[in-house]
Amino acid sequence: MAWILRPERCVIGIEDNKPEAIAALKKATEGTQTEMAVIPTKYPSGGEKQLIQILTGMEVPSGGIPADIGVMCQNIGTAVAVAKAVFEGTPLISRVVTITGEAVREPGNFEALIGTPIEHLLEQAGVNQNAVSRLVLGGPMMGYTLTTEAVPVIKTTNCVIAATAAELPAPPPEQPCIRCGQCAEACPMELLPQQLFWHAKATEFEKAEHLNLFDCIECGACSYVCPSSIPLVQYYRFAKGEIRAQQAEQLKADRARERFEARQARLEREQQEKELRRKERAKAAADAAAKKQAEAEKAAAEGDAGDERAAKAALVEQALARKKAKAEASRPPAPNEPPAEEKPDIEALEKQLSQAQSKLETMQGMLDDAKAQQADNVEKLERAVAKNHDRVKRAEEALAEARQQLAAGATESQPTH
Amino acid sequence: MAFVQQSSPHAHSARPTSRVMLWVLIAALPGLLAQTLFFGWGNLINVVFCIAVAIASEAALLKLRKKPVAFFIKDNTAAVTGLLLGLSLPQFAPWWVSAVAVISAIVVAKQLYGGLGSNPFNPAMVGYALVLVSFPVAMTTNWAEPAMLWDGAPGFGETLATIASGQQTAVDGWTMATPLDEYKHKITTHTAVEVLNHPTFGEGIAKGWEWVNGAFLAGGLLLIGLRIISWHIPAGFLGGLIVMSLAFGNNADLYTPLSLHLLAGGTMLGAFFIATDPVSAATSHQGKLIYGAGIGILIYVPGAIIRTPWRSAFCS
């Protein structure tokens, strides 16, 4: 690991209650880059942040990891496993497990293959099955209880405690806090356990979080020294759990709100587009109706009087004529009927022209609107206007041509007749 | 086989509150012994009586509050309150004065605020202050004159009778003003030497009282050695008092001298047993120093005017 990381300093910390190990390590580290430091046996010196502070004097920042201050901390077992893997090519298949507790006759350290049932190890250590009241995996302060011995050794199984009822008795009932302050003296992370306790009890979770609740390593030193036997660590776990649940809820709520807002925006957009289209259509319809009205009035004016009936009659006549023209046009054109052909042609062409003109007017109107509002479809409308312009032009040309032909045909037909 | 299921931590080894309070009781015994030796049976009778009334009233209130009585009595805190009052009250104080002091301490200053851990003030001192203000005659005229237990002090029966009779003023022949009182009153008109001639001062600094304070000092040091209390509050207390006395009252002809302040009155009892009540005191070490110093300074200020147990009582 030193080869990879190239550290400035490499230190092994060892508590002073292991004299044989100290001697062995001393011999092993002679002449190497690795130093050995003997530290007083005080719980929880083995905690990562505490060990770093003891050996180097540097503090890991709140909410941070050792890498933030340029330190890497690994335990001896990991270092040995890495060495074995690199130098011998063996994977991690065994580890040293400590079996202890007053219910075992010969407590000790066992090197066990991963997967060995704890039951087997306990038997090797001479366990008295009847005396075991609590089976703890880990240490007495931070370990967790097992429900059965039929569990295997895994990579993180460091210790098994087969405790009698006298050794680890049930905790006495909680008494009121007498505010002695021993918990704050014992805390290795320099937190305020008393304040955290009050806030956790009163479910004032923001205040607890503000007092760095999440820096608590749950070592249990505070509850160990409490004269009133208050289960402090359980209170902190409860508070942490509640805060995490609240944060998850908050995240869910935020995401739901974002989705909702996006949906609202989309619906509104669609609504607006619909409105716009509706307006256009209404406008076009209004224009067409206006146009029709204008034509009708014009026809009424052209017809003998401002007589409505006459105007209507004219309209009806026009419609009939159109119909006739249509009927004639659908007949296969006969070569000896050029004038007849051309006549309906002219009417049709006139109609086409008027339609094209009205459409052009509509488009022009829309374009003006759009230009006034500076809407997005100005270009589209301009194109449409241009198209209609062309259409009108073509219709006019066609009409002119037809009229010419008609005139020519008339003069032609006269000599034939 | 069913194993116990519990979340960590699994080990617990602290001195429970009951054990802490027991040590306080034990550490106060030398002082009680000295008081009995030098001032007669009064204090002992008062202590026993006050402890009994304290436990009884706490039990009654717990029952009223529907809390488990035995669970809370077992933590010995009521007993300590009774002890402190028994040590502070005048030796010949009528029984009803003691009873009122204890009952108001336990019921009003402790249980009505929520019980153990919730009292803002030291209950014993609240009780003391209450009777001092309510029964000034009984509290000022019943201090025993220093007389050895076997020579001069009234006998057990006589003392008991006086207390039980409940008369406000005890027999004149047995009582005397306390040294601090005496000095403070007389120094305005006499010189230091003349004042010190008064029998209450004896050959030493203050007859009887010096032994009592010495005994309480020893008990306090025992508590610090056992880490029941930390040294911060007593150090702050005594330091504040010493500094104030030396700074402002160094002339023995005009002011009560430092030696009297420290050894004649309830100073040591206050510093080690009363001010260190964890519930009403500061929690952190720096806080404790400041808290103790504050009490010491405040005690000096009316020092010329008020008797020491009263000073400790009001200031803590």
Side-chain angles (χ1 to χ4, degrees):
Chain A
M1 287 194 281
W3 188 83
I4 297 174
L5 294 170
R6 307 221 189 269
E8 278 171 19
R9 257 186 87 193
C10 188
V11 186
I12 298 182
I14 181 161
E15 285 179 329
D16 58 14
N17 61 351
K18 304 173 188 36
E20 295 167 356
I22 293 174
L25 262 181
K26 208 164 180 196
K27 236 180 11 175
T29 56
E30 247 167 61
T32 66
Q33 178 199 9
T34 312
E35 305 166 32
M36 188 191 64
V38 179
I39 59 180
T41 305
K42 223 177 167 200
Y43 180 81
S45 332
E48 183 181 57
K49 297 182 180 159
Q50 283 66 48
L51 193 61
I52 290 174
Q53 193 166 4
I54 294 173
L55 293 177
T56 66
M58 299 196 279
E59 263 187 57
V60 177
S62 163
I65 58 170
D68 293 340
I69 49 171
V71 177
M72 193 194 75
C73 191
Q74 293 290 348
N75 71 47
I76 290 289
T78 308
V80 168
V82 169
K84 275 202 191 149
V86 168
F87 295 129
E88 298 170 22
T90 50
L92 178 60
I93 54 171
S94 75
R95 67 157 293 146
V96 177
V97 181
T98 307
I99 307 291
T100 179
E102 280 173 14
V104 295
R105 237 186 5 254
E106 299 151 10
N109 299 326
F110 295 81
E111 176 146 8
L113 291 172
I114 309 285
T116 312
I118 305 254
E119 202 170 8
H120 178 76
L121 289 175
L122 285 173
E123 275 168 34
Q124 294 292 307
V127 70
N128 175 1
Q129 293 287 359
N130 296 327
V132 182
S133 102
R134 198 188 300 211
L135 206 56
V136 177
L137 198 63
M141 298 299 283
M142 292 178 77
Y144 52 92
T145 47
L146 294 173
T147 50
T148 165
E149 297 171 316
V151 291
V153 167
I154 57 174
K155 289 184 181 177
T156 58
T157 309
N158 51 353
C159 171
V160 179
I161 308 179
T164 58
E167 187 183 6
L168 293 181
E174 177 186 339
Q175 292 175 315
C177 169
I178 60 170
R179 305 169 192 265
C180 62
Q182 301 244 26
C183 49
E185 281 184 53
C187 180
M189 295 300 288
E190 295 182 18
L191 300 173
L192 298 170
Q194 205 189 108
Q195 269 61 32
L196 289 173
F197 164 66
W198 293 123
H199 293 320
K201 204 162 187 178
T203 64
E204 294 167 342
F205 297 124
E206 305 91 35
K207 291 190 189 163
E209 211 182 331
H210 179 68
L211 288 174
N212 300 93
L213 170 68
F214 281 98
D215 279 337
C216 168
I217 59 175
E218 298 181 19
C219 68
C222 52
S223 65
Y224 188 85
V225 299
C226 179
S228 301
S229 309
I230 300 175
L232 291 167
V233 180
Q234 273 85 343
Y235 275 101
Y236 304 148
R237 282 209 194 100
F238 157 72
K240 285 184 193 175
E242 290 293 307
I243 293 175
R244 285 194 195 111
Q246 268 181 11
Q247 285 173 345
E249 286 272 338
Q250 184 71 16
L251 198 62
K252 244 173 89 168
D254 282 344
R255 292 212 181 115
R257 192 168 32 89
E258 276 174 41
R259 281 199 302 268
F260 176 74
E261 281 173 4
R263 182 172 176 269
Q264 289 296 91
R266 175 175 62 85
L267 287 178
E268 236 188 82
R269 217 175 35 241
E270 285 178 4
Q271 191 79 340
Q272 276 179 351
E273 282 174 14
K274 251 200 241 177
E275 279 289 319
L276 205 59
R277 277 193 297 244
R278 206 166 50 79
K279 263 196 229 145
E280 287 171 23
R281 265 185 276 137
K283 194 142 185 280
D287 281 349
K291 192 79 202 204
K292 245 194 189 151
Q293 184 78 337
E295 275 181 14
E297 283 173 5
K298 212 165 61 181
E302 278 173 6
D304 292 328
D307 200 30
E308 277 191 37
R309 269 175 93 208
K312 265 202 188 151
L315 275 175
V316 172
E317 236 191 75
Q318 274 189 344
L320 280 174
R322 274 201 294 269
K323 255 214 157 117
K324 211 167 74 171
K326 248 198 199 157
E328 286 192 18
S330 61
R331 264 195 288 132
N336 52 355
E337 285 187 1
E341 252 185 51
E342 281 165 21
K343 217 162 178 263
D345 262 354
I346 293 207
E347 290 204 23
L349 286 172
E350 278 182 5
K351 193 165 125 228
Q352 266 181 21
L353 179 62
S354 73
Q355 273 181 349
Q357 273 176 345
S358 81
K359 202 147 194 206
L360 176 64
E361 275 182 42
T362 320
M363 281 288 128
Q364 191 66 39
M366 277 179 68
L367 178 64
D368 289 346
D369 276 358
K371 275 206 183 126
Q373 287 177 11
Q374 295 187 331
D376 291 352
N377 43 6
V378 170
E379 285 176 59
K380 256 207 260 179
L381 287 172
E382 283 183 353
R383 281 201 299 271
V385 165
K387 210 166 65 174
N388 281 309
H389 223 86
D390 287 352
R391 226 190 256 164
V392 167
K393 236 192 181 156
R394 270 185 278 126
E396 282 179 359
E397 285 175 13
L399 185 60
E401 221 185 53
R403 283 210 177 109
Q404 248 184 1
Q405 276 188 5
L406 185 61
T411 49
E412 257 187 22
S413 62
Q414 274 188 348
T416 39
H417 281 339
Chain B
M1 167 183 4
F3 298 119
V4 168
Q5 296 302 309
Q6 194 200 312
S7 64
S8 68
H10 306 282
H12 177 84
S13 171
R15 267 186 297 237
T17 309
S18 54
R19 185 63 54 85
V20 170
M21 293 295 135
L22 199 61
W23 275 112
V24 171
L25 286 168
I26 293 171
L29 284 180
L32 177 60
L33 193 64
Q35 273 186 317
T36 311
L37 272 179
F38 286 97
F39 294 98
W41 295 105
N43 279 112
L44 190 59
I45 295 172
N46 279 337
V47 163
V48 171
F49 179 68
C50 288
I51 291 182
V53 175
I55 294 180
S57 47
E58 177 140 294
L61 250 290
L62 285 169
K63 213 159 182 155
L64 268 178
R65 287 174 67 208
K66 302 204 175 61
K67 302 268 181 190
V69 175
F71 180 65
F72 282 103
I73 298 286
K74 267 195 303 198
D75 62 23
N76 296 332
T77 51
V80 170
T81 303
L83 170 87
L84 290 177
L85 274 171
L87 293 172
S88 317
L89 291 167
Q91 286 79 7
F92 292 110
W95 64 269
W96 44 269
V97 168
S98 309
V100 168
V102 172
I103 291 176
S104 62
I106 297 289
V107 172
V108 175
K110 187 175 168 197
Q111 288 299 326
L112 288 186
Y113 275 99
L116 176 67
S118 308
N119 42 294
F121 305 110
N122 187 331
M125 289 304 107
V126 170
Y128 190 95
L130 193 127
V131 289
L132 188 60
V133 172
S134 315
F135 311 120
V137 176
M139 290 296 287
T140 51
T141 58
N142 284 316
W143 293 96
E145 66 167 1
M148 301 307 284
L149 186 63
W150 53 83
D151 160 43
F156 182 81
E158 280 176 314
T159 321
L160 190 58
T162 313
I163 294 175
S165 72
Q167 62 201 56
Q168 275 231 34
T169 338
V171 177
D172 231 354
W174 299 336
T175 58
M176 189 185 287
T178 61
L180 274 175
D181 239 1
E182 188 66 31
Y183 202 101
K184 174 195 70 189
H185 283 132
K186 293 282 164 54
I187 202 65
T188 48
T189 48
H190 298 73
T191 64
V193 178
E194 287 167 354
V195 178
L196 286 171
N197 269 335
H198 192 279
T200 191
F201 295 100
E203 278 95 59
I205 298 169
K207 189 165 169 206
W209 282 107
E210 59 208 2
W211 285 100
V212 170
N213 275 301
F216 280 126
L217 174 65
L221 292 175
L222 171 71
L223 288 180
I224 292 180
L226 286 173
R227 306 185 73 172
I228 302 274
I229 60 177
S230 71
W231 56 266
H232 301 84
I233 294 184
F237 184 116
L238 295 173
L241 188 58
I242 290 171
V243 165
M244 288 296 283
S245 177
L246 288 177
F248 297 104
N250 217 352
N251 188 345
D253 276 320
L254 292 172
Y255 306 105
T256 318
L258 179 62
S259 52
L260 263 188
H261 276 295
L262 286 179
L263 294 174
T267 311
M268 293 299 165
L269 177 67
F272 291 94
F273 291 85
I274 295 177
T276 52
D277 168 41
V279 181
S280 49
T283 306
S284 67
H285 287 323
Q286 299 96 308
K288 283 178 177 162
L289 274 172
I290 297 171
Y291 174 77
I295 298 179
I297 291 171
L298 276 177
I299 270 187
Y300 182 79
V301 169
I305 318 166
I306 312 175
R307 208 155 299 141
T308 9
W310 186 2
R311 302 192 304 182
S312 306
F314 277 115
C315 294
S316 54

